Amino acid sequence: MYCVRTVLGLLALFATTAAFEDSVTDYAPAVNIPCPDLSTTDFVREWTASNQTINPKEADYVETRMNSTIAQAWTDWLGDGSQLGYNSTAFQGNFPKIGIAIPGGGLRAAQYGAAALSGLDARNSSAKAAGTGGLLQVSSYLSGLSGGSWITGSLFFNNFPTLGELVFGNGNNLTGWLLDIAFATPDGDDVFSEYNQYFFGSILWSVMSKADTGIDTSITDPWARMISFHFLNQTNRQNFFTNDTAHGAGQLWSNIPTIPAWQQYETPFPILVTDSRPQNLNTTTALTLDPTVYEITPFEFASYDPDLSAGVNLTFAGTPMTNKKPVNATACVTGFDQAGFMMGTSASLFNQILDFAHNTLQGFSQSDGNGLLYVLSRQLSEVRTRADDVANWPNPFNGVKTATYDDTNSTWLSLIDGASNGENIPLGPLFVKSRALDVIVTLDGSADDSNNWPNGTGLLISAERQSTILEASHQQMPPLPQNAQAFVDTGARERTTFFGCDPTQNPPEFPLVIYIPNMPPFNGDNPTANTGTFQLQYTPKQQQVLFDQIHNNTISGFVPNTNDADPNFGKCLQCAAVDRARYKISPVVNRSDFCQTCFTQYCFDPQNPPSLSEVPNRKQIFVDPDPQGLEDFLSENKNKLIGGVVGLVVFIAILIGGLIWWKKRRDRQFVAQYQQVSALHEEEELNLKRYSQYVRPESYEMPAHRGSLYSDS
């Protein structure tokens, strides 16, 4: 009862003090809104794999940006092209269309994505000096899933700042991600501490406000609110445990086009990826490749899988629909696309780790797990939920593609982490045929092996899905190493690698893939970036060292058989980025000698694959740069502790020696004292004998004393 009174009391406190327009209750969608004219409004659009189209608003933004901002960015990055052996004016109007994919993996992936993007950002001085800075500016698309969705959303809702300012703050309007404050228990392990209760109260108030509209919630909703505290733009150290702001509760994914950087065409087009658990499949294991994969853009919630090939206007995504129309013309829903909930949906990994029978969350620390389970228990006691371990979405595709779509008869969708089918890199949207990308930059921060390094598994699984289920709707993957072990044996996971360098057709039969994995430091330093997926707190030093290490790897390339940075890597990256432009010119422009040298070094040739021996002395085992626990403390201070133990042994030996000397001295003194006491004892015995011979009187009478307190007078 104490916890019930505590939470409800805090909610009442928040309600009485929330005299501001921007409230944490803005997390709740608006319901029973009159719908636009059903006879003239297209809420859901359909297409087929053979007649595929992208959203008209997406096409307009991407094309306008290609012809303006990106055209100038290519000139800024390549100059006249002479350093590559080209005349860049020949490529005008034919520059490649590029997309960047940011993988899943919790806070490790979010930080990896940010640090890698900083190495590709022309606004970063070291990246610009290396020649790698500029690739971000010429990119048209940016996709993210799970932890990669957090960095994607954070970039946009903070108006696309530099990556260092985004993560660490700038001392002005950006406070950074505050990753030293734990996600689930920001005031420490005790869930009943005063400030944890303030935090949980705010989270629950938001979730309850959504549930009060009649929309089912789940553990994804408090998870979404926790994400918002760190990655949206209304939280700082001073207001973290207060409701002085809404902590991003009212920020919508569909409002991205209103941010200044978007309106100035400075940003790539963002896409989040989420998987689905079909309503007839109540599994808690990893998905197969069959269930529908969805994407979330500022304009649509859609799937380009051939079995669905449909998208709904994101503004109305929470509206109950059937046969592409709202069920009730006066009951539309808006505001369902809260930004944190979009990122939380892409990162809703609970269906595989939430154990209801034992009330545990596998993978999380005890503190984080206890915090999440506590909030869920309070949520379940106060509001109605549907499936507790997924993100619950009203199904806008009810009655659509009845012959092929697996959830066509369902009124709700169960959406889960975008990597639940094994595709840990959001490549699917970037391979959609109608988007026609030429180059795909694949950032891989997966934790595929026991040391939390990627081994190409996500790339290989996407290649399998594209060659089977998505063959009609998506471009194909270029030739890759045959399996994960081949990624290891060829060294492809230890360095930047280009895949698909030499297509045999024109137009090329696949895009060129620039693979930049999270890799051990090229110079042989101890690795600090291969942290665990479920680590939800980082010290400032851990963040900074991790960020710097990934950034340096991204801008440095490699020199075969050494631990040196490649001074030409920036230009080699430019060669890869611009290479597909050659195929758009008739006749095809020959590859320059300089770029061919780069491709010989960085391209994967399946007929003559590279070797792991070319990337020597890469350390694999994580070393914490800022140890916090006892085990890390002992490891970090081993030599000091050995010296201390030796000193302690010497001290104890001296102490024992001193005690032995003192004891011998004391014994000598005791013997002398004993002899003196014996002599005194003999004298006392003699006196006693004399006293025994004394004749005592019969009685004693005390003389009376005047004024005695005991007298009768």
Side-chain angles (χ1 to χ4, degrees):
M1 287 301 296
Y2 166 79
C3 59
V4 175
R5 290 194 301 269
T6 301
V7 173
L8 294 180
L10 290 170
L11 294 179
L13 174 64
F14 291 146
T16 58
T17 58
F20 48 83
E21 180 180 356
D22 202 9
S23 168
V24 294
T25 60
D26 292 341
Y27 182 73
V31 298
N32 297 322
I33 304 298
C35 301
D37 189 340
L38 302 190
S39 64
T40 60
T41 303
D42 290 328
F43 293 89
V44 175
R45 67 183 190 93
E46 288 185 86
W47 59 88
T48 65
S50 60
N51 189 26
Q52 192 182 72
T53 59
I54 61 175
N55 185 280
K57 292 181 179 179
E58 172 189 337
D60 180 69
Y61 180 82
V62 171
E63 183 178 359
T64 300
R65 190 165 174 267
M66 281 284 291
N67 294 329
S68 55
T69 310
I70 288 181
Q72 182 59 49
W74 277 109
T75 299
D76 295 340
W77 192 29
L78 301 184
D80 63 6
S82 59
Q83 79 278 13
L84 307 182
Y86 293 128
N87 179 357
S88 62
T89 58
F91 298 144
Q92 291 295 332
N94 293 294
F95 283 115
K97 186 184 292 185
I98 299 176
I100 302 176
I102 308 177
L107 288 181
R108 179 195 65 252
Q111 294 176 94
Y112 163 69
L117 287 181
S118 76
L120 308 177
D121 189 350
R123 299 169 296 178
N124 182 281
S125 58
S126 60
K128 188 172 181 63
T132 57
L135 181 54
L136 176 59
Q137 278 67 31
V138 300
S139 296
S140 294
Y141 286 91
L142 187 66
S143 64
L145 67 75
S146 199
S149 75
W150 303 347
I151 158 67
T152 304
S154 192
L155 267 172
F156 282 86
F157 286 93
N158 287 279
N159 198 32
F160 217 75
T162 62
L163 280 303
E165 289 184 339
L166 180 70
V167 176
F168 302 107
N170 59 9
N172 188 12
N173 62 316
L174 294 174
T175 60
W177 286 349
L178 306 178
L179 299 187
D180 57 310
I181 301 177
F183 252 52
T185 51
D187 190 40
D189 294 347
D190 182 6
V191 296
F192 296 108
S193 73
E194 179 181 7
Y195 284 101
N196 272 338
Q197 287 294 305
Y198 283 136
F199 176 69
F200 297 146
S202 178
I203 296 290
L204 287 168
W205 194 20
S206 292
V207 176
M208 289 167 64
S209 68
K210 178 178 178 179
D212 286 344
T213 67
I215 296 176
D216 289 340
T217 60
S218 72
I219 194 174
T220 304
D221 290 278
W223 179 238
R225 294 301 293 130
M226 293 174 183
I227 292 168
S228 299
F229 273 64
H230 292 272
F231 292 101
L232 298 183
N233 60 25
Q234 291 185 307
T235 306
N236 55 44
R237 294 188 188 278
Q238 289 69 43
N239 68 24
F240 199 97
F241 295 102
T242 76
N243 281 339
D244 293 342
T245 75
H247 302 291
Q251 297 174 3
L252 306 180
W253 200 258
S254 57
N255 283 345
I256 285 177
T258 67
I259 70 170
W262 173 285
Q263 293 179 342
Q264 296 165 14
Y265 295 96
E266 294 176 359
T267 71
F269 188 86
I271 306 174
L272 304 186
V273 172
T274 181
D275 288 346
S276 63
R277 185 177 71 192
Q279 294 299 304
N280 60 358
L281 183 67
N282 195 25
T283 181
T284 58
T285 59
L287 295 176
T288 66
L289 297 180
D290 298 312
T292 306
V293 176
Y294 298 90
E295 62 175 47
I296 305 167
T297 79
F299 302 125
E300 275 187 329
F301 171 64
S303 176
Y304 284 83
D305 285 12
D307 65 351
L308 178 54
S309 297
V312 63
N313 184 331
L314 187 64
T315 299
F316 300 104
T319 302
M321 296 190 188
T322 186
N323 298 319
K324 302 189 291 185
K325 298 290 184 183
V327 173
N328 187 335
T330 62
C332 270
V333 175
T334 61
F336 183 81
D337 58 309
Q338 194 272 336
F341 187 62
M342 299 300 97
M343 295 186 285
T345 295
S346 181
S348 185
L349 70 173
F350 302 102
N351 71 301
Q352 294 183 49
I353 64 173
L354 179 56
D355 185 345
F356 285 102
H358 300 92
N359 197 36
T360 59
L361 277 172
Q362 301 171 18
F364 286 105
S365 69
Q366 183 175 2
S367 176
D368 292 322
N370 287 345
L372 285 164
L373 289 169
Y374 171 79
V375 173
L376 179 61
S377 68
R378 297 303 317 126
Q379 178 184 353
L380 293 176
S381 68
E382 301 293 341
V383 301
R384 185 187 71 177
T385 63
R386 182 170 291 273
D388 296 325
D389 57 346
V390 302
N392 292 307
W393 284 55
N395 184 9
F397 308 118
N398 177 268
V400 174
K401 300 291 178 66
T402 56
T404 56
Y405 176 44
D406 49 11
D407 274 327
T408 187
N409 295 319
S410 303
T411 56
W412 286 84
L413 296 177
S414 296
L415 301 186
I416 54 179
D417 189 278
S420 298
N421 66 355
E423 293 185 279
N424 197 47
I425 312 169
L427 293 171
L430 304 184
F431 278 82
V432 167
K433 286 184 177 180
S434 57
R435 288 191 171 121
L437 269 68
D438 302 294
V439 179
I440 297 174
V441 181
T442 303
L443 306 181
D444 190 357
S446 308
D448 294 328
D449 70 7
S450 59
N451 289 315
N452 295 325
W453 297 115
N455 61 17
T457 294
L459 205 60
L460 291 165
I461 292 177
S462 288
E464 180 182 354
R465 194 168 196 268
Q466 287 164 215
S467 65
T468 53
I469 296 171
L470 306 180
E471 185 177 11
S473 56
H474 290 60
Q475 294 192 76
Q476 295 303 294
M477 193 77 71
L480 302 172
Q482 291 185 343
N483 49 46
Q485 188 58 49
F487 261 90
V488 176
D489 295 340
T490 59
R493 72 165 188 168
E494 308 277 353
R495 59 180 179 85
T496 296
T497 302
F498 307 155
F499 295 109
C501 295
D502 296 301
T504 60
Q505 302 174 20
N506 192 18
E509 63 270 33
F510 40 67
L512 189 149
V513 171
I514 298 174
Y515 181 65
I516 305 177
N518 186 22
M519 58 190 120
F522 69 90
N523 59 6
D525 283 351
N526 289 326
T528 64
N530 52 325
T531 55
T533 299
F534 294 99
Q535 181 176 335
L536 293 181
Q537 187 176 17
Y538 288 75
T539 68
K541 183 177 180 180
Q542 288 170 334
Q543 293 178 68
Q544 190 67 64
V545 174
L546 179 152
F547 189 95
D548 291 344
Q549 194 168 95
I550 294 169
H551 175 90
N552 289 335
N553 273 345
T554 302
I555 68 174
S556 296
F558 82 109
V559 176
N561 307 307
T562 75
N563 292 105
D564 298 331
D566 180 2
N568 290 319
F569 176 63
K571 290 185 284 188
C572 287
L573 190 65
Q574 294 171 11
C575 286
V578 79
D579 191 70
R580 286 297 195 260
R582 300 186 303 107
Y583 296 88
K584 299 184 179 186
I585 300 172
S586 182
V588 174
V589 175
N590 290 329
R591 184 176 291 151
S592 71
D593 291 341
F594 175 83
C595 286
Q596 184 57 53
T597 300
C598 287
F599 276 40
T600 299
Q601 179 172 333
Y602 286 96
C603 284
F604 174 78
D605 180 356
Q607 304 303 318
N608 185 27
S611 170
L612 179 61
S613 64
E614 296 178 16
V615 283
N617 305 319
R618 268 60 165 178
K619 297 179 180 178
Q620 302 292 323
I621 299 175
F622 171 77
V623 177
D624 192 341
D626 190 20
Q628 300 297 301
L630 176 61
E631 181 179 345
D632 289 333
F633 173 81
L634 294 174
S635 175
E636 180 78 5
N637 297 277
K638 180 174 64 176
N639 293 333
K640 295 178 182 178
L641 289 171
I642 291 174
V645 169
V646 172
L648 181 61
V649 170
V650 172
F651 171 75
I652 292 173
I654 294 174
L655 180 63
I656 292 173
L659 288 172
I660 293 173
W661 173 82
W662 176 80
K663 183 176 183 301
K664 289 180 179 180
R665 184 173 181 272
R666 187 193 64 175
D667 290 345
R668 288 194 297 269
Q669 291 176 341
F670 179 76
V671 171
Q673 290 173 352
Y674 177 77
Q675 292 172 345
Q676 293 176 358
V677 170
S678 296
L680 289 172
H681 183 64
E682 290 174 358
E683 184 178 353
E684 287 177 354
E685 285 183 341
L686 180 61
N687 289 335
L688 181 61
K689 183 177 181 180
R690 291 171 182 169
Y691 177 75
S692 65
Q693 296 173 350
Y694 177 73
V695 179
R696 293 171 291 180
E698 293 294 330
S699 65
Y700 293 92
E701 183 178 347
M702 295 291 291
H705 296 279
R706 292 176 183 174
S708 171
L709 293 175
Y710 298 101
S711 63
D712 293 335
S713 61

